[in-house]
């Protein structure tokens, strides 16, 4: 296999890990073996290390001394801390986007991103929906036009939460809320855009909490049954 080199090689690994996480090919806690990634992506080990550094900065992987990196794990308490942060940041993001929205400049790109999300929802595949959702956020970040927010927003750990907790219900919440949020941006309604974004964050938090509780219940029941015996 011809080996990729330079920034393109590092980005190939970086993007590949994110897509594998969305598709469920890698899971939280899984170790990422440098030699295996080098062979898989046809890149040198330096490119793998650079990708791991980028993924660590984004909060996707944990780096360890003297052993392989691993996909970050998030417990319920940390997930709630992430939602506390993401709520404030998403409210700011959509408020800024509403303040800076210009139909002549932004309408076509924003509508295309929303149409992609609707098509992904109709398709039903989680990794396609996740990709379209990221595309929408990229456009909204562009409209918001705040360099510091663009720098720190991707580092909030929602990527791991989104990969761990996937359901059609969450997709339904997102497609419903994003249409309202985009509508407020297009209307230039800063207060409404921010409020809808905050409300959306709390709806996702609640759905994730319910999802986690549901999937823990059989395990807890099984433990209790074993103890009873």
């Amino acid at each position: 296999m011809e080996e990729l080199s330079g920034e393109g090689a590092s980005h190939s690994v970086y993007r590949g890990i994110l897509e594998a996480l969305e598709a469920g090919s890698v899971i939280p806690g899984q170790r990422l073996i440098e030699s295996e990634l080098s062979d898989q992506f046809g890149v040198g080990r330096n490119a793998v290390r650079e990708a791991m550094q980028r993924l660590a900065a984004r909060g996707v992987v944990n780096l360890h001394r003297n052993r392989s990196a691993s996909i970050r794990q998030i417990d319920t308490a940390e997930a709630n801390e992430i939602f506390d942060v993401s709520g404030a940041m998403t409210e700011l993001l959509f408020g800024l986007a509403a303040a800076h929205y210009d139909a002549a400049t932004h309408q076509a790109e924003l509508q295309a991103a929303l149409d992609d999300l609707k098509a992904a929802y109709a398709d039903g595949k989680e990794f396609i929906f996740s990709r379209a959702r990221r595309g929408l956020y990229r456009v909204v970040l562009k409209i918001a036009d705040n360099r510091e927010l663009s720098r720190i927003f991707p580092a909030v750990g929602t990527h791991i939460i989104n990969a761990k907790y996937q359901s059609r219900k969450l997709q339904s919440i997102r497609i419903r809320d994003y249409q309202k949020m985009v509508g407020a941006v297009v209307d230039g309604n800063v207060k409404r855009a921010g409020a809808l974004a905050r409300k959306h964050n709390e709806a996702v938090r609640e759905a994730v909490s319910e999802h986690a509780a549901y999937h823990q219940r059989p395990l807890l029941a099984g433990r209790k049954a074993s103890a009873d015996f």
Side-chain angles (χ1 to χ4, degrees), residues 17-18 21 55-62 70-72 159-160:
I17 296 298
L18 289 178
L21 184 61
L55 289 165
R58 186 167 179 174
V60 174
V61 306
N62 288 327
S70 61
I71 300 293
R72 180 182 173 191
H159 202 93
I160 298 296

Side-chain angles (χ1 to χ4, degrees), residues 208-218:
V208 164
S209 179
E210 290 175 355
H211 185 284
Y214 177 82
H215 286 278
Q216 286 172 3
R217 205 171 294 136

Side-chain angles (χ1 to χ4, degrees), residues 53-71:
Q53 292 289 341
R54 288 183 64 191
L55 289 165
R58 186 167 179 174
V60 174
V61 306
N62 288 327
L63 302 179
H64 312 284
R65 291 193 65 176
N66 302 320
R67 61 189 177 97
S68 302
S70 61
I71 300 293

Side-chain angles (χ1 to χ4, degrees), residues 90-154:
T90 307
E91 181 178 3
L92 174 62
L93 169 62
F94 277 84
L96 286 172
H100 295 159
Y101 179 79
D102 174 72
T105 306
H106 304 129
Q107 182 177 16
E109 190 175 13
L110 183 59
Q111 187 60 53
L114 187 59
D115 289 344
D116 285 347
L117 191 71
K118 291 177 182 178
Y121 178 72
D123 182 276
K125 293 185 180 68
E126 183 62 39
F127 76 95
I128 294 177
F129 187 83
S130 294
R131 186 184 304 160
R133 186 176 53 78
R134 282 192 285 109
L136 177 64
Y137 272 102
R138 278 196 297 271
V139 174
V140 176
L141 278 163
K142 180 179 176 181
I143 296 170
D145 194 26
N146 184 291
R147 287 172 290 184
E148 187 66 7
L149 188 59
S150 294
R151 183 183 68 82
I152 62 177
F153 192 85

Side-chain angles (χ1 to χ4, degrees), residues 26-32 60 64 69-74 160:
V26 297
I27 60 174
Q30 182 172 333
R31 292 176 62 200
L32 301 171
V60 174
H64 312 284
S70 61
I71 300 293
R72 180 182 173 191
Q73 290 182 295
I74 292 174
I160 298 296

Side-chain angles (χ1 to χ4, degrees), residues 138-192:
R138 278 196 297 271
V139 174
V140 176
L141 278 163
K142 180 179 176 181
I143 296 170
D145 194 26
N146 184 291
R147 287 172 290 184
E148 187 66 7
L149 188 59
S150 294
R151 183 183 68 82
I152 62 177
F153 192 85
V156 179
T158 53
H159 202 93
I160 298 296
I161 294 175
N162 294 334
K164 184 175 181 179
Y165 301 105
Q166 299 182 0
S167 70
R168 188 62 172 172
K169 179 179 179 179
L170 276 166
Q171 284 189 11
S172 298
I173 290 170
R174 286 175 168 132
I175 193 71
R176 177 200 70 197
D177 290 353
Y178 289 148
Q179 291 182 87
K180 294 178 182 177
M181 291 151 68
V182 167
V185 168
V186 170
D187 291 341
N189 192 327
V190 174
K191 186 175 181 179
R192 177 169 169 76

